[in-house]
Amino acid sequence: MADLEARTPRVFLARHGETEWAKNGRYTGITDIDLTDNGVNQVSSAAKMLVGEAKLLDPSRLVHVFVSPRKRAVRTYQLLGVGDSPSPEVTEDIAEWDYGDYEGLKVGEIRELRHSKGLDKERPWNVWADGCEGGESMQEVTERLDKLIAKIKNIQEPYFDNDRAGDVLLVAHGLILRCFVKRWLGFPVDFPLEMIFSPGGISVMSYKNGNIKEPGFYIGLSLP
């Protein structure tokens, strides 16, 4: 089983490091804000421990890299030190949820704004289910992530049942990566799966039993 695990392609999810808005709880979608000094340290520390030859994220095993075009994600990719082979695909497919009219606001401010418009009379606003005025809906997020997941599976399928490495890396944002996890597992974006994803953190998705039809995620894994 351990040998099968080692041969099965993985999908690494790297969240960008801390930003000033993230630290203050502000929804940050299209705003191009850079990492704080602490954010740089978060990513650099993770890279030192987890990225490198024979480490958890071995750059020699990567066959594709997707990076959000936002400055904070591009900077995180650079700090991870995985090299430029393969060349990263910088794409809006893995950009953060577009928060539209709620950009830069905190949860309480968004709920007050919606309440003033007579919205959410039955329950409080929830980004997963309700989306954002002037921004993306749950359905729009679902559609772009499903397209990305299909692309990842097409990339990785040739690497099953052989000794070639076939790992993929995504460098992006906290909310969209949590949405990605839900869609990877086949759950709707508003499925109540509570997740914690620290700034600068790295998560690992893969396939159970070495089967591309059984996407899963690691709740614990042994380090190389």
Side-chain angles (χ1 to χ4, degrees), residues 22-41:
K23 184 172 69 173
N24 294 329
R26 299 189 178 279
Y27 276 79
T28 319
I30 62 173
T31 303
D32 224 3
I33 189 169
D34 209 343
L35 304 181
T36 62
D37 289 343
N38 185 50
V40 170
N41 290 334

Side-chain angles (χ1 to χ4, degrees), residues 8 12 18-19 32 58 60 63 70 77 103 107 113 115 122 133 139 141 148 160 165 178 185 188 196-197 222:
T8 301
F12 292 90
E18 178 191 79
T19 67
D32 224 3
D58 188 335
S60 69
V63 295
R70 305 296 171 257
Y77 163 74
E103 184 78 3
V107 172
L113 175 64
H115 180 72
E122 296 183 0
E133 293 179 288
Q139 184 58 35
V141 169
L148 177 61
F160 280 80
R178 283 178 282 165
L185 299 174
I196 299 171
F197 202 155
S222 56

Side-chain angles (χ1 to χ4, degrees), residues 3 8 13 27 32 59 66 87 106 116 123-124 129 142 168-169 189:
D3 187 51
T8 301
L13 311 181
Y27 276 79
D32 224 3
F66 295 93
S87 298
K106 299 179 181 180
S116 71
R123 60 170 175 78
T142 298
V168 169
L169 168 65
V189 166

Side-chain angles (χ1 to χ4, degrees), residues 39 48 65 77 101 105 111 132 150 184 192:
K48 184 177 180 180
V65 178
Y77 163 74
D101 297 348
L105 301 181
R111 288 177 174 166
C132 303
W184 183 263

Side-chain angles (χ1 to χ4, degrees), residues 23-207:
K23 184 172 69 173
N24 294 329
R26 299 189 178 279
Y27 276 79
T28 319
I30 62 173
T31 303
D32 224 3
I33 189 169
D34 209 343
L35 304 181
T36 62
D37 289 343
N38 185 50
V40 170
N41 290 334
Q42 289 169 335
V43 179
S44 299
S45 295
K48 184 177 180 180
M49 296 180 64
L50 301 176
V51 180
E53 183 179 357
K55 292 186 178 181
L56 175 66
L57 201 174
D58 188 335
S60 69
R61 293 180 54 90
L62 290 175
V63 295
H64 206 98
V65 178
F66 295 93
V67 182
S68 162
R70 305 296 171 257
K71 183 187 301 183
R72 55 199 184 274
V74 173
R75 179 66 173 137
T76 294
Y77 163 74
Q78 294 167 343
L79 290 168
L80 285 174
V82 296
D84 292 324
S85 181
S87 298
E89 179 179 344
V90 180
T91 173
E92 292 282 346
D93 288 346
I94 196 59
E96 183 58 294
W97 196 312
D98 183 349
Y99 298 123
D101 297 348
Y102 306 153
E103 184 78 3
L105 301 181
K106 299 179 181 180
V107 172
E109 294 171 336
I110 295 170
R111 288 177 174 166
E112 287 180 11
L113 175 64
R114 289 176 63 91
H115 180 72
S116 71
K117 296 180 178 182
L119 301 173
D120 310 325
K121 293 181 178 179
E122 296 183 0
R123 60 170 175 78
W125 170 78
N126 178 288
V127 63
W128 308 96
D130 302 320
C132 303
E133 293 179 288
E136 284 186 293
S137 66
M138 180 183 77
Q139 184 58 35
E140 288 170 326
V141 169
T142 298
E143 288 174 359
R144 70 175 166 104
L145 288 180
D146 285 357
K147 180 179 71 173
L148 177 61
I149 289 170
K151 185 172 182 178
I152 290 171
K153 289 183 177 181
N154 284 336
I155 290 169
Q156 292 187 317
E157 189 168 16
Y159 296 92
F160 280 80
D161 300 322
N162 60 54
D163 293 327
R164 295 182 299 160
D167 292 343
V168 169
L169 168 65
L170 276 62
V171 185
H173 313 267
L175 190 65
I176 202 67
L177 287 174
R178 283 178 282 165
C179 292
F180 179 92
V181 170
K182 292 181 182 183
R183 294 309 301 147
W184 183 263
L185 299 174
F187 298 138
V189 166
D190 62 345
F191 184 78
L193 180 64
E194 299 300 331
M195 289 175 278
I196 299 171
F197 202 155
S198 300
I202 297 176
S203 297
V204 188
M205 316 301 291
S206 190
Y207 306 88

